Amino acid sequence: MFQLPSPIEIRSINDITFYLKREDLIDSEFSGNKARKFYYFLQNDFPHIQKLVSYGSAQSNAMYSLSVLAKIRGWKFEYFVDHVADYLKNNPHGNYKAALDNGMKIIEKVGLIPRDYSEEVLFIEEGGRQIEAGYGIKLLAQEIKNWQKEQGIVELNIFLPSGTGTTALFLQKNLLKGQPQGIATTVYTCACVGDSIYLKKQFLDLEKDETMHPTILSLDKKHHFGKLYKENYKIWLKLQEQTGVIFDLLYDPLGWRTLLAHPKVFDKPTLYIHQGGVLGNESMLPRYERKYEDIEGSGDL
Ligand SMILES: *Cc1c(COP(=O)(O)O)cnc(C)c1O
């Protein structure tokens, strides 16, 4: 059912060639890094669980993936949000609509989320930022190790943009463990939510040993998550034009802008991880198109 290991393809942008791990192709519904993060809950037995509870934004990729997980496992799914915009309520689309179609019950509540510790309830932190995420990300790391060995790549650089940093952290940690002498795999990332200091704190919460942490790269300019930047839209269009691949509009544009601003990374063979999330483009793309209707095709890029 799942396409695992996820394929690795060769692509190029601005004449720079890189490898692309297509985590977006794992499955039409359960894919990307959320599939890895929630894999533990798909594969193990939870005989008492009847309901999944989580919280976050009304358009999040994690929310949608949890609705798929709940559907597959036959669990109810309750999701807490501060607020659902009227526009979204009246015109459901993207992750929100897909999650509702999967049976999600959305609850608007400002402030503390009621934590139900009863046996039947499985509580998932926002964005899947929890230890169990390590289970699926370890499998991702193993796929990369096997591939790196097959390809005979001695030193590999990996790049992926971070939100909570959970994926990047567990990936680097697992790629450091059990590698043969002389083989190096370095994980680079950037902070899309908050700044590099926030991301470093997130890493420290999950792992005290800083030698296990990914390397954080950044741009000089401050970046606000979810804001519509012209540079983000342009790089997204350019990626689509030059690679033929549709990337996500929330994380990948900043990821690519940051990576391309640090060309030294490409001195070694470089693997970019496509972490899925393309369904979320249904809400982001119309907003970009409306704001920057003057930008189209290659002439402007
Ligand atoms: C959730 C998500 C991320 C961020 O993952 P973290 O593990 O929270 O750092 C990046 N890209 C996409 C497409 C995502 O859905």
Side-chain angles (χ1 to χ4, degrees), residues 33-34 37 61 161-167 248 251 275-277:
N33 74 336
K34 302 307 179 296
K37 285 165 111 169
N61 297 335
S162 281
T164 65
T166 313
T167 312
D248 119 287
Y251 298 89
Q275 300 182 89

Side-chain angles (χ1 to χ4, degrees), residues 32-34 37 60-62 126-129 137 160-168 189 192-193 199 203 248-252 273-278:
N33 74 336
K34 302 307 179 296
K37 285 165 111 169
S60 97
N61 297 335
E126 180 168 16
R129 182 174 165 268
I137 298 166
L160 70 167
S162 281
T164 65
T166 313
T167 312
T189 189
C192 298
V193 183
L199 183 58
F203 290 160
D248 119 287
L249 268 164
L250 269 175
Y251 298 89
D252 286 323
I273 304 198
H274 190 317
Q275 300 182 89
V278 174

Side-chain angles (χ1 to χ4, degrees), residues 29-275:
E29 293 196 298
F30 201 58
S31 77
N33 74 336
K34 302 307 179 296
R36 299 289 187 178
K37 285 165 111 169
F38 300 139
Y39 202 55
Y40 177 87
F41 300 108
L42 189 67
Q43 292 285 301
N44 289 282
D45 284 335
F46 299 89
H48 303 294
I49 298 300
Q50 294 181 16
K51 188 166 78 179
L52 206 59
V53 177
S54 190
Y55 64 102
S57 93
Q59 274 292 18
S60 97
N61 297 335
M63 172 195 73
Y64 166 65
S65 295
L66 285 172
S67 78
V68 175
L69 173 67
K71 190 175 70 172
I72 295 174
R73 304 244 26 183
W75 296 333
K76 293 194 209 81
F77 177 37
E78 282 179 10
Y79 189 76
F80 289 86
V81 293
D82 276 358
H83 178 67
V84 182
D86 286 338
Y87 175 76
L88 188 56
K89 267 186 211 164
N90 298 330
N91 308 277
H93 59 282
N95 287 325
Y96 176 77
K97 176 176 193 303
L100 288 177
D101 290 347
N102 285 336
M104 171 181 70
K105 182 177 168 200
I106 197 150
I107 302 162
E108 287 184 80
K109 187 180 181 311
V110 177
L112 274 185
I113 310 304
R115 295 216 175 195
D116 183 338
Y117 292 104
S118 55
E119 254 195 345
E120 308 86 64
V121 174
L122 180 59
F123 189 87
I124 308 270
E125 293 298 337
E126 180 168 16
R129 182 174 165 268
Q130 52 193 64
I131 287 299
E132 289 88 346
Y135 177 92
I137 298 166
K138 186 176 176 177
L139 297 173
L140 167 61
Q142 193 56 53
E143 289 178 16
I144 294 172
K145 281 183 192 172
N146 295 346
W147 172 82
Q148 187 178 349
K149 191 171 169 206
E150 262 167 40
Q151 299 284 317
I153 298 172
V154 178
E155 289 179 80
L156 176 70
N157 285 339
I158 294 180
F159 189 94
L160 70 167
S162 281
T164 65
T166 313
T167 312
L169 178 84
F170 283 118
L171 191 59
Q172 179 67 89
K173 201 173 152 176
N174 283 290
L175 285 168
L176 286 167
K177 277 196 235 155
Q179 280 289 46
Q181 198 71 36
I183 299 291
T185 316
T186 309
V187 174
Y188 292 91
T189 189
C190 67
C192 298
V193 183
D195 58 11
S196 300
I197 296 164
Y198 158 86
L199 183 58
K200 186 74 187 166
K201 262 186 70 195
Q202 300 278 91
F203 290 160
L204 279 168
D205 273 358
L206 290 165
E207 174 60 60
K208 295 277 164 280
D209 181 356
E210 292 188 41
T211 65
M212 299 280 177
H213 289 189
T215 305
I216 302 173
L217 303 176
S218 58
L219 295 178
D220 295 334
K221 266 207 208 149
K222 220 176 148 63
H223 184 273
H224 297 276
F225 189 62
K227 226 180 124 174
L228 305 179
Y229 294 93
K230 194 173 201 167
E231 295 86 347
N232 285 3
Y233 186 37
K234 279 182 155 184
I235 191 87
W236 184 85
L237 288 169
K238 184 189 240 182
L239 279 161
Q240 186 169 339
E241 190 168 277
Q242 294 194 15
T243 68
V245 176
I246 297 179
F247 285 84
D248 119 287
L249 268 164
L250 269 175
Y251 298 89
D252 286 323
L254 185 65
W256 273 105
R257 284 172 56 205
T258 307
L259 177 55
L260 291 172
H262 295 83
K264 273 204 86 58
V265 175
F266 293 106
D267 287 353
K268 313 249 165 73
T270 300
L271 176 69
Y272 188 96
I273 304 198
H274 190 317
Q275 300 182 89

